Amino acid sequence: MPKESNRRKSSSGLSGTGVINEGSRLERRAAGKSSPIYDELIQKADQISATSGAPTLMDAPRVPQVTITPEGGGSSREMQQEDWDEAVDGTLRRKLSNSSISSTGSSAVESEDDLLSDNESKSKGIITLEHLVDTGESRPWWKLKTIVHWPFSATQRRKLSWVQLAGHKGNFKAADEGTILKKFSENEMQCFDKLREDALLPFVPGYHGVVEKDGESFLHMTDLLANFDLPNVMDCKMGVRTYLEEELVRARERPKPREDLYKKMVEVDSGGPTPQEHSQRAITKPRYMQWRETMSSTNTLGFRIEGIKKHDGTCRTDFKKTRSKQDVVQVFKDFVDGNMNIIKSYLNRLSEIQQALKMSEFFKRHEVIGSSLLFIHDHTNNAQVWIIDFGKTTALPEGQTLHHDIPWQEGNREDGYLWGLENLIHTLESVGNEGTEGDI
Ligand SMILES: Nc1ncnc2c1ncn2[C@@H]1O[C@H](COP(=O)(O)OP(=O)(O)OP(=O)(O)O)[C@@H](O)[C@H]1O
Ligand SMILES: O=P(O)(O)O[C@@H]1[C@H](O)[C@H](O)[C@@H](OP(=O)(O)O)[C@H](OP(=O)(O)O)[C@H]1O
């Protein structure tokens, strides 16, 4: 992204950086970034607004500013009361404790903004998955909450070499053969419970219940890598937005400037922070997340590549500036080593997922944020795609549903998931077309 435009966005704090509104549309056009798909999306949203009486994009409120002060502590902000009233409706004011959960499972009150993390805490590839410690005693360690099969047999207690392309280190443990444990999140557990009866069930990891040990809880799920031989794995984070609306609200109420996020931003783009952010060497999490979205393809394509591990053991997670469709096409080509059969299989699977999403009651009634599609294939041409990570997937109030393919404006909770999936399919079709002209 041109630095000038990035600075302009940065200097207005949160304003407009993640919102698809008239202002950003003009900016994109000026920067030559407008695409037919984008314009189609805008038109669709305008039509929906016209028929539903919802505000048009022209009317969409901009995201009010959150300014962090050099004094630090994040106690001061430049938000006006009228901004608050305009942007924060009843939906956003709902009780945070019910639904605001970070993908690592902590509640809103104590979550992301408060718990600092840095690059060192993020997993970026091949890891050694530990089993929980076996004390060797015969007393039952595991307090069963739902269905589990414990304890592990001694032979299954070996360390497991595994691939974790995103998320926080230590979030996963080894379990019975073919299964893993993920750090408990109430939110994710509720999603898995609801998905048991949903059209999406064939596309999410098998869920085997909650287990607890020494006060720590885990979700027991199928290891999607288990049936592959030296798998190639790619994590694509879906949607036009990667943070919950209530995270914005919280950042306005209680801004928490974070030094680790400032450092991560500077590492990628030293011109990213505003002069004020440079002077206090800290930025808020929504500010960082919105910057990440504009630097990568999240805002422009509705998905982004988080990481790749290839069969030869090489891992890449340096995709923060992979933004254009052409760049993404190149990454996919390399990921499949030019194998167009794999691309075909992936396209078939994506199309099945698309159909299932359109049928899914769960999908209709949830804001799907931060969820990924996990692509896995190996030399046998086995290629699959799975929907993972429901840590930030949040139920809408009773009776409310989402389109998933219209622009987000604060308050409508749209996530752009279906729009991103459509773009992802077009992108893979382009890979196919470039690989073997007309073969796909
Ligand atoms: N069921 C699974 N089978 C195989 N691999 C998985 C599975 N679930 C997750 N992974 C691996 O772990 C990585 C992180 O998963 P996930 O996004 O669920 O974790 P997280 O801690 O919630 O991440 P974040 O904090 O980014 O939201 C994925 O990129 C993938 O490599
Ligand atoms: O990809 P990056 O650039 O490393 O940035 C991280 C990424 O956006 C994660 O999705 C987010 O965790 P959540 O999805 O759980 O919010 C994490 O927040 P965190 O630092 O607060 O964990 C960010 O630091």
Side-chain angles (χ1 to χ4, degrees), residues 348-360:
N348 288 338
R349 179 82 172 171
L350 287 179
S351 153
E352 287 169 13
I353 289 178
Q354 195 178 34
Q355 293 315 311
L357 286 168
K358 286 177 182 168
M359 306 269 295
S360 165

Side-chain angles (χ1 to χ4, degrees), residues 103 117 168 237 258 264 285 288 292 320 392:
S103 53
S117 69
H168 299 82
K237 193 172 271 202
R258 285 175 51 174
K264 285 209 284 187
K285 179 156 174 188
Y288 176 78
R292 279 280 274 128
K320 288 198 171 120
K392 280 183 161 182

